[in-house]
Amino acid sequence: MMPSESRRRRRGREDAFPRWRFRRGRNHLLTGSDYLLLRCYSTLLLLPGAVAQDSNHYFCGTSWGDASDNCPDRQHCQGGADDECETPGHICFGGTTCDIRNGDGNKFKYANVPYEDISNTRFCGKDWAKAIEDCSIETHCPSGFSEECPDGYSCYGGLSCNVQDLVEEAEAQKEEEAPVANRMDKHDPRRHNFCGVSWGDAN
């Protein structure tokens, strides 16, 4: 007796996705559909863009809140591993409010490097003059190797720029731009203005 068309299609799907693919613990099994979903999810997690974006927010601290509340003073742990954290008692947290693209972590990065260290004066450029003209935290190449620089650029050392000066300037600018609620006089009536869906809710 020939199997019906619907049974043949169902059997084809079962052949494509075996019902039991591999074990999860001792008494639990994953179905073929579970396996497919797991593979898709793993692929999304491993996309270079997603990984790179998430790693911008990997920072060390004693807790997630400690890392997020002290971004300038906390170490960036790009690989997401706890052993990257140099401060005793600190581990690496993901998804913090810190962002390496905003300069967070730079203060920690140079905290233990003497100001006079020659690595502070190494920057990338198309030539010596451009390296001096365009010196910035982004063009800093502390190792002295041109591999740290974009294609067509070389790393030049002993320049008049010092990356620690640049970090200090960037931190000062961030503090100036940050809103400070307490700048109002303590008797200013605006201190009694609060948001809410009603007066009672705000109060």
Side-chain angles (χ1 to χ4, degrees), residues 91-140:
I91 58 177
C92 188
F93 292 92
T96 69
T97 59
C98 308
D99 192 333
I100 190 67
R101 294 167 297 184
N102 295 334
D104 295 330
N106 285 334
K107 193 173 178 180
F108 178 92
K109 184 177 180 180
Y110 303 110
N112 298 320
V113 180
Y115 182 87
E116 299 80 10
D117 194 289
I118 192 172
S119 66
N120 291 329
T121 64
R122 294 170 177 159
F123 295 88
C124 301
K126 290 190 174 181
D127 53 45
W128 179 282
K130 289 297 290 181
I132 296 175
E133 181 181 346
D134 300 331
C135 68
S136 65
I137 296 173
E138 292 72 25
T139 62
H140 184 226

Side-chain angles (χ1 to χ4, degrees), residues 46-68:
L46 293 175
L47 288 174
V51 173
Q53 184 176 7
D54 288 343
S55 67
N56 291 327
H57 304 280
Y58 292 167
F59 278 80
C60 301
T62 56
S63 65
W64 183 90
D66 174 67
S68 294

Side-chain angles (χ1 to χ4, degrees), residues 67-99:
S68 294
D69 292 341
N70 301 281
C71 295
D73 301 311
R74 292 296 176 257
Q75 179 184 0
H76 179 227
C77 43
Q78 184 173 358
D82 292 339
D83 56 11
E84 293 181 65
C85 300
E86 300 173 10
T87 304
H90 283 204
I91 58 177
C92 188
F93 292 92
T96 69
T97 59
C98 308
D99 192 333

Side-chain angles (χ1 to χ4, degrees), residues 17 22 31-43:
F17 303 106
F22 59 125
T31 65
S33 59
D34 288 337
Y35 174 75
L36 180 62
L37 288 172
L38 182 62
R39 287 294 302 273
C40 291
Y41 181 67
S42 300
T43 301

